[in-house]
Amino acid sequence: MRRDVIDTLLVANRGEIACRIFRTCREVGIATVAVYSDADADALHVREADLAVRLPGSAPADTYLRGDLVVAAALAAGADAVHPGYGFLSENAAFAAAVQDAGLAWVGPPVKAIELMASKTRAKELMAGAGVPLLAPVDPAAAGEGDLPLLLKAASGGGGRGMRIVRELQALPHELREAAAEAASAFGDGEVFAEPYVERGRHVEVQVMADRYGTVWALGTRDCSLQRRHQKVIEEAPAPGLDAALRTRLHEAAVAAARAVGYRGAGTVEFLVSAEGRPYFLEMNTRLQVEHPVTEAVFGVDLVALQLRVAEGEPLPAPGPPQAVGHAVEARLYAEDPARDWQPQTGALLALEVPEAPGLRLDTGYVGGDTIGVHYDPMLAKVIAHAPTRPEAVRLLARALERARIHGPVTNRELLVRSLRHPDFAAGRLDTGFYDRHLADLTAPGAGDPGVAALAAALAEAARATRSPGPAPARFGAWRNVPSQPQVKRYRSEPAGVEYEIAYRTPRTGTPEPHEAPGVRVLAATPDRVTLELDGVTRHFSITTDRDRDRRRLHVDTAHASYTFTALPRFTDPATHADPGSLLAPMPGTVVRLAEGLAAGAAVAAGQPLIWLEAMKMEHRILAPASGTLTALHAAPGHQVEVGALLAVVQEDLGPAPATEENA
């Protein structure tokens, strides 16, 4: 038995997955090497590695996607193996070959297996030969009404890029062009194929692990149906509600797929399961999946450790996997605003603290004090809960997220908590259209009381003011035998934008109290903690203040909710409002394309996509706010823009003025 001992491992990745792989390396005694772009110079994965090598530049195409630079970094640092993580070069056969050609061990599947599964069209042909159930492809040129709805997919790559649902035949040519353009931009390959779209289908996958001696494990199922923009949000293992026959069929199909390509290492075979319980092969991911921790929790294994073991030439420790125990659920915490078309958010992350408890796990590439930039995926962390039963795991995860302290950019934390507590999720009624149906309800104003949180913020600021040193009080002439006028503070909640005006007084006791707030009694007030009695119930509020450029923000954490407020001046500045019809960049990013024929003077329709902006691995459409004329265009493909940058101006067509006695 040949064994290639790994002493030093370079992880060709960044963020959360690099930190997660480093954790296993520390446990098994392997030295670690990080690579980093200029934007990641002070990132957590760089700080946690034993050695780090700079990749000049910030854009992925100049850094983490440059296989030649990564291989050179491994050789320069004295590494003897490379782990690709997920994303970037993890499923790039040429990179895997280059690593091995340089004399380094590759912690991944054989190059041939990557090549065979790299194209979804070729992979489906191969799986058909192996007897794996498939959706029959549809020729877009010959598609008819009976073939609708159709799903267009990029032949290379994933993550929802280049994917479109077509429900009307006349829209097919346009959607084909759009899908091909996005696929070419994201993967350098504009090939797109079509297949039937399965309504209310479930995304179910099987984790496989194989060694070079013919042993292939099927480590249960995972359900990843809760997705936004075809990207996963909540995953769990095992997939709930599958009968024994279907689970067996999925396991056997996954093992057959792995054997068909001579697979080795960790991989995932993904299926679409129809509402009637029929499974169809989607693709095989020849890498570690983001959601692998739920499988680790249920089976009590370390998949990265097994990857390293297989890469060193050792067999899997048993002919079959361990026995599964309990249930695990994972939530992806993103810096994004679900209520505003999932817009990614950037800025300083002031706090990221998840409660510690048995059964909870946090995988992250960030800590408080880090900055969330514009170049990479907006995922902050994965929070995983494992318990004996599904209801217990779901409850544990929802409560952990609810109690977490997350200060900084807007996140999807509240959406995650509400999703986990939604009746359909609790009952296991899962499918990929979950957010299409429920997003409005899941992002509606919460049941908490932001007004009381704003009051706590005002009292904390008042307590800080009373403790701050200031000029000595006047000795004569300052005493009045009348009550003083209440002080007023104004706040705007984020991201809802609701404004609150809080009136309070500070009596001789020094403890501020609300002005005319029946049922509220202040028990204690300090700059960072306020305790109120509300209708006989004692509640605690933790307050953290920070300054972001020229604004002051206050973060209020309670036992059941968290709130962020921006302190407002007493009087608003009318100069802060943009001119009507101005299209501003909602986030920093790169203009990737414009609507066909778009130029100053063009007529546009309300809701028409005009500009496509790419930020943090997602494309965002800038729509015409009204029907009218494009009077100015300041965007062009390739332009880097900052948040708030003026992209274009649309002058609304108001139509003829209504007839009056004066203009008749």
Side-chain angles (χ1 to χ4, degrees), residues 458-471 504 506-507 509-512 522-531:
L459 296 175
E461 288 208 288
R464 178 177 291 105
T466 60
R467 296 185 179 192
S468 299
Y504 66 94
T506 304
T509 61
T511 300
V522 182
L523 302 182
T526 67
D528 55 8
R529 187 174 175 85
V530 171
T531 302

Side-chain angles (χ1 to χ4, degrees), residues 539-589:
R539 302 187 186 278
H540 304 286
F541 301 80
S542 297
I543 296 91
T544 306
T545 305
D546 75 86
R547 284 193 175 274
D548 180 12
R549 296 180 182 175
D550 57 349
R551 64 176 176 169
R552 188 173 77 258
R553 292 196 304 177
L554 295 96
H555 307 277
V556 182
D557 294 299
T558 73
H560 294 281
S562 296
Y563 307 89
T564 297
F565 300 98
T566 296
L568 301 176
R570 293 185 62 185
F571 305 103
T572 58
D573 180 3
T576 59
H577 299 285
D579 292 335
S582 296
L583 303 185
L584 307 180
M587 68 209 75

